[in-house]
């Protein structure tokens, strides 16, 4: 991920509704959610939701697909992974203990989703 891509992603995430949308879609998983369900959950009108989803899509954080008469949105997991990797790229500086809490948090997250 380039610095410009990271800045676009952070810019998109720096708004409350868009951050809520991303967190909701992460929880929804790869199947995603219909736009209407997203709007109901985050309390956004269809025009306001469209505006926010467009920002997230332009930043490469979400993707959409049509299913029948619905537009389904899902998180672009590779983009989120790239954003985390961008932040952590130079984390340790030769001292692995510095990144330990972040790595542990990720491990806890992944373990919670395991069967």
């Amino acid at each position: 991920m380039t610095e410009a891509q990271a800045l676009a992603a952070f810019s998109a995430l720096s708004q409350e509704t868009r951050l809520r949308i991303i967190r909701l879609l992460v929880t929804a998983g790869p199947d995603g959610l219909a736009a209407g369900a997203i709007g109901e959950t985050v309390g956004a009108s269809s025009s306001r939701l469209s505006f926010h989803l467009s920002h997230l899509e332009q930043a490469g954080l979400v993707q959409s697909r049509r299913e029948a008469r619905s537009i389904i949105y899902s998180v672009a997991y590779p983009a989120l992974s790239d954003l985390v990797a961008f932040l952590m790229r130079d984390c340790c500086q030769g001292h692995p203990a510095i990144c330990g809490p972040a790595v542990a948090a990720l491990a806890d997250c992944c373990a919670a989703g395991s069967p």
Side-chain angles (χ1 to χ4, degrees), residues 44-84:
S45 67
S46 60
S47 62
R48 188 168 157 240
L49 180 68
S50 178
F51 171 79
H52 291 304
L53 287 168
S54 175
H55 267 72
L56 292 168
E57 208 162 14
Q58 289 173 2
L61 297 173
V62 300
Q63 53 205 11
S64 62
R65 68 184 184 280
R66 181 170 287 284
E67 285 187 10
R69 295 178 1 148
S70 296
I71 304 290
I72 307 297
Y73 289 89
S74 58
V75 167
Y77 287 99
L80 284 183
S81 295
D82 288 349
L83 186 58
V84 171

Side-chain angles (χ1 to χ4, degrees), residues 79-101:
L80 284 183
S81 295
D82 288 349
L83 186 58
V84 171
F86 176 85
L87 286 174
M88 302 301 290
R89 185 176 303 141
D90 302 317
C91 173
C92 297
Q93 297 290 317
H95 305 285
I98 293 171
C99 294

